[in-house]
Amino acid sequence: MLYAIISQDVEHSLEQRMSVRPAHIERLKALKNEGRLILAGPHPAIDNNEPGAAGFTGSLVVAEFDCLEVAQTWADADPYWVSGAYANVVVKPFKKVLP
């Protein structure tokens, strides 16, 4: 089943994000290589794909996991969460309708 992992950053998270970004990206690449990643990306803090120093306010990952518990365990190990860049993370089932 698909699960949405919706994360909200702490304020001024850019430095924390950048310090662990390579590890975060490697985990996403692993999901992609397994054919389980639907989409992933950050929410820019301003209306611009390259927000610069404004940074990001959170992230969204939609991926396939065996169950909610497995999805939650994966989210709990995210380097952004572990480093304190995320203030909170919500994991919930997701039903893709379109496209």
Side-chain angles (χ1 to χ4, degrees):
M1 179 164 189
L2 296 179
Y3 293 88
I5 301 170
I6 307 154
S7 308
Q8 183 72 35
D9 282 22
V10 298
E11 286 192 46
H12 312 292
S13 64
L14 188 57
E15 187 175 320
Q16 287 168 293
R17 275 178 163 266
M18 293 293 92
S19 72
V20 296
R21 186 174 188 273
H24 172 79
I25 296 297
E26 283 304 312
R27 296 178 82 239
L28 292 171
K29 285 180 180 178
L31 285 178
K32 180 183 176 206
N33 292 340
E34 295 166 4
R36 300 186 312 149
L37 182 65
I38 304 303
L39 64 87
H43 302 286
I46 59 174
D47 192 12
N48 191 311
N49 279 332
E50 300 297 331
F56 302 93
T57 61
S59 300
L60 171 64
V61 174
V62 177
E64 185 178 346
F65 294 94
D66 290 337
C67 65
L68 180 59
E69 182 180 346
V70 172
Q72 184 68 59
T73 298
W74 188 91
D76 289 345
D78 190 294
Y80 287 168
W81 175 251
V82 174
S83 74
Y86 286 158
N88 62 64
V89 177
V90 174
V91 180
K92 53 185 168 179
F94 180 80
K95 179 180 175 185
K96 182 179 175 187
V97 175
L98 293 170

